[in-house]
């Protein structure tokens, strides 16, 4: 199942555009998310977050995409702020990055969740049933699925799911003998 970074960026932007992130316990300091985009970073996902308000600038997060819920959901459970962003924020005030991260990371994680259910169901439906090629007929039934691999590249995220089940084949087989 291919998922382009353009699709992911569109989803993130739709969920996070103009969301307010409160940067302290009194909610007197805040940042507003203006733009969020996703891209590949050496096999991981890089999220770029542009903010305005009391914290103006660009923040970077990265993590490894992972399949959950038998391959029906794509998440980034290990999402973390990039070291460069931590250093830049800490130059404002020591320990400030932790306050920003506490509020922003959870929003990013939740917004990134990609529902693959329709893709998985469509694949299952396509595989299950009778398939014919020439004189050969194959009847297949998918019993279960399980996540296999998630790969990030510059083209996007590619998800592999293993389908398990039964298959029967019938048809004519012509054998030739050579003497």
């Amino acid at each position: 199942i291919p998922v382009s970074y353009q699709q992911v960026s569109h989803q993130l932007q739709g969920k996070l555009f103009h969301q307010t992130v409160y940067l302290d316990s009194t909610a007197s300091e805040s940042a507003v998310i203006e733009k969020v985009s996703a891209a590949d970073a050496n096999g991981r996902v890089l999220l770029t977050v542009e903010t305005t308000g009391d914290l103006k600038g660009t923040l970077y997060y990265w993590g490894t995409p992972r399949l959950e819920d038998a391959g029906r959901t794509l998440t980034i459970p290990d999402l973390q702020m990039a070291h460069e962003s931590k250093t830049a924020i800490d130059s404002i005030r020591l320990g400030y990055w932790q306050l920003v991260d506490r509020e922003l990371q959870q929003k990013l994680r939740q917004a990134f969740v990609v529902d693959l259910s329709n893709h998985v169901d469509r694949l299952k439906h396509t595989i299950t049933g009778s398939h014919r090629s020439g004189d050969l007929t194959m009847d297949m039934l998918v019993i279960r699925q399980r996540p296999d691999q998630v790969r990030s590249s510059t083209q996007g995220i590619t998800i592999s799911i293993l389908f398990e089940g039964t298959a029967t084949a019938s048809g004519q087989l012509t054998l030739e003998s050579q003497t």
Side-chain angles (χ1 to χ4, degrees):
I1 300 171
V3 179
S4 73
Y5 276 113
Q6 183 179 2
Q7 288 173 288
V8 175
S9 295
H10 182 75
Q11 175 178 311
L12 289 166
Q13 187 68 12
K15 290 181 177 181
L16 294 172
F17 180 63
H18 277 176
Q19 287 275 323
T20 301
V21 179
Y22 296 101
L23 306 174
D24 62 0
S25 57
T26 62
S28 62
E29 293 181 30
S30 64
V32 177
I33 299 170
E34 294 298 331
K35 186 176 180 187
V36 184
S37 60
D40 176 67
N42 298 320
R44 291 185 164 169
V45 176
L46 175 68
L47 300 182
T48 304
V49 184
E50 294 176 22
T51 62
T52 58
D54 293 313
L55 182 65
K56 294 178 185 76
T58 304
L59 304 172
Y60 300 96
Y61 278 80
W62 57 270
T64 309
R66 185 169 130 189
L67 288 170
E68 307 280 342
D69 189 26
R72 296 173 100 52
T73 309
L74 181 65
T75 64
I76 305 180
D78 65 347
L79 188 68
Q80 58 186 296
M81 186 182 286
H83 180 72
E84 298 80 7
S85 294
K86 291 177 185 178
T87 303
I89 295 171
D90 261 4
S91 70
I92 299 167
R93 185 169 64 237
L94 192 61
Y96 194 38
W97 80 266
Q98 292 162 319
L99 293 171
V100 174
D101 187 56
R102 186 178 316 134
E103 296 300 316
L104 186 55
Q105 187 187 103
Q106 193 58 35
K107 284 183 183 282
L108 291 170
R109 262 196 198 149
Q110 289 172 348
F112 183 85
V113 173
V114 178
D115 182 4
L116 302 168
S117 297
N118 289 338
H119 296 289
V120 173
D121 290 343
R122 193 168 41 246
L123 280 171
K124 238 167 115 171
H125 181 73
T126 301
I127 293 169
T128 298
S130 189
H131 304 277
R132 188 173 183 87
S133 178
D135 289 337
L136 180 67
T137 301
M138 193 165 213
D139 291 308
M140 297 170 51
L141 174 63
V142 174
I143 297 171
R144 70 178 152 263
Q145 82 242 3
R146 60 186 170 93
D148 184 31
Q149 288 184 323
V150 180
R151 285 187 304 275
S152 177
S153 69
T154 53
Q155 290 78 33
I157 301 170
T158 305
I159 295 121
S160 300
I161 297 174
L162 295 175
F163 292 101
E164 298 174 355
T166 60
T168 58
S170 61
Q172 285 188 318
L173 180 63
T174 305
L175 298 175
E176 291 181 18
S177 157
Q178 290 186 353
T179 40

